[in-house]
Amino acid sequence: MSVVPVPLSVDAGPSLSVVPVFLYHSVSNDAPSWLAPFTVSPRTFVEHLNMIADSGLQVIPLRQLVAALHGGPPVPLRSAVLTFDDGYADFASTVAPLLAARGLPATLYVTTGGLRASGSGPFPSVETLSWAQVRELDAAGIEIGGHTMTHPQLDTLPRTSVREEVTGCKRQIEDALGHPVDAFAYPHGYSSRTVRAVVREAGWTSAAAVRAASSFSSEADDPLRFGRLMVRADTGRDRFVLWASGEGAPVAPFSESLSTRGWRAYRRVRAMTGRPYRAISA
């Protein structure tokens, strides 16, 4: 049995069964300027949860989608997944209670070097979760995943540095939680064949990407770079309604474009010359 397709927009390509995997960062009314474009207000987030429910989507745990991508049982009809990147403190204070009230599962990808490092580390001038809060969220049923130690553009780093980031992050989270973790997300959505190989070798069984700005995942997606829909401050109601109905974005998997390869090469040259491209997202 396969997932029944929902309507797709004209830019979605061949008809595929789609799963919207929503990507959020901060849910706050008071985000610093660098994070504001990737922040939604609590009121907007509640509206999104209501729209998901009204659309008939069933929010499932990420691991259920990952199991299907690895050849396991198909996900239920009209499924969706909620994911959150970085590890901002508003997840504990705002997001988790809203999810708990609705009985909704979610995956939180934490950047270990950014936890409780307000004013320093990869996320300046914003409060992040503490390790104690991460443990509490894990105990409450939130899936904790990894998002590296320092949030670099992995595809611009030498293999040894990539290995340090993805294995170190995994080790730190597992030591803190006392159990294995297997869900990873690429900072900024950037990966490469080499990066994905290192992620696999480190023991991560899934890895979230952001391709073509935003894309649906599908029953044929790659578990080590599955597509997500990035929800931003400028994601309007009409766009979100389209996404909830399975329209308005391409459907993964699709081949890496020449422009993606060219962009990676440009960022690598910048990194090698000591002038790295400053990317703040995902």
Side-chain angles (χ1 to χ4, degrees):
M1 186 178 84
S2 62
V3 180
V4 174
V6 295
L8 301 176
S9 61
V10 294
D11 62 340
S15 179
L16 286 173
S17 303
V18 303
V19 179
V21 180
F22 296 105
L23 159 59
Y24 291 89
H25 290 87
S26 177
V27 178
S28 170
N29 287 317
D30 188 28
S33 59
W34 63 266
L35 185 57
F38 310 101
T39 300
V40 301
S41 70
R43 178 177 178 177
T44 297
F45 182 63
V46 169
E47 291 175 350
H48 290 173
L49 296 181
N50 290 339
M51 284 187 274
I52 288 172
D54 292 344
S55 73
L57 285 171
Q58 176 184 350
V59 179
I60 62 171
L62 172 65
R63 59 175 53 93
Q64 194 169 347
L65 171 61
V66 172
L69 298 183
H70 280 288
V75 297
L77 305 180
R78 299 282 286 128
S79 295
V81 176
L82 296 174
T83 66
F84 300 80
D85 282 12
D86 297 340
Y88 302 114
D90 56 60
F91 187 91
S93 62
T94 302
V95 176
L98 292 171
L99 297 178
R102 293 162 175 76
L104 299 178
T107 296
L108 170 65
Y109 298 104
V110 298
T111 302
T112 57
L115 297 180
R116 271 292 186 264
S118 181
S120 62
F123 309 125
S125 67
V126 63
E127 185 179 4
T128 55
L129 295 166
S130 67
W131 277 110
Q133 288 175 309
V134 172
R135 287 190 288 269
E136 290 170 1
L137 291 166
D138 175 67
I142 298 296
E143 180 181 21
I144 305 300
H147 201 40
T148 71
M149 295 191 296
T150 66
H151 206 265
Q153 300 172 53
L154 289 174
D155 61 340
T156 67
L157 301 181
R159 190 184 185 106
T160 53
S161 298
V162 174
R163 185 179 297 110
E164 291 172 0
E165 287 281 349
V166 301
T167 61
C169 171
K170 194 174 196 295
R171 181 178 61 255
Q172 290 173 339
I173 297 173
E174 291 180 343
D175 287 349
L177 301 184
H179 64 75
V181 294
D182 52 27
F184 184 78
Y186 302 108
H188 316 287
Y190 296 145
S191 73
S192 66
R193 184 176 299 178
T194 297
V195 170
R196 293 190 292 275
V198 173
V199 167
R200 182 186 298 108
E201 292 165 4
W204 301 103
T205 60
S206 72
V210 184
R211 288 177 285 173
S214 286
S215 62
F216 291 104
S217 186
S218 79
E219 59 187 357
D221 209 351
D222 182 346
L224 286 181
R225 56 170 179 165
F226 62 85
R228 293 193 290 174
L229 302 166
M230 186 188 296
V231 184
R232 298 168 43 107
D234 60 1
T235 301
R237 179 183 177 87
D238 290 345
R239 171 63 62 183
F240 197 90
V241 169
L242 276 176
W243 285 350
S245 66
E247 300 181 333
V251 182
F254 39 79
S255 300
E256 187 173 80
S257 67
L258 288 176
S259 61
T260 296
R261 296 174 186 173
W263 180 236
R264 179 184 301 132
Y266 168 77
R267 289 182 292 104
R268 281 177 174 168
V269 170
R270 290 284 300 263
M272 287 187 293
T273 58
R275 297 178 299 111
Y277 172 76
R278 302 297 181 185
I280 300 177
S281 69

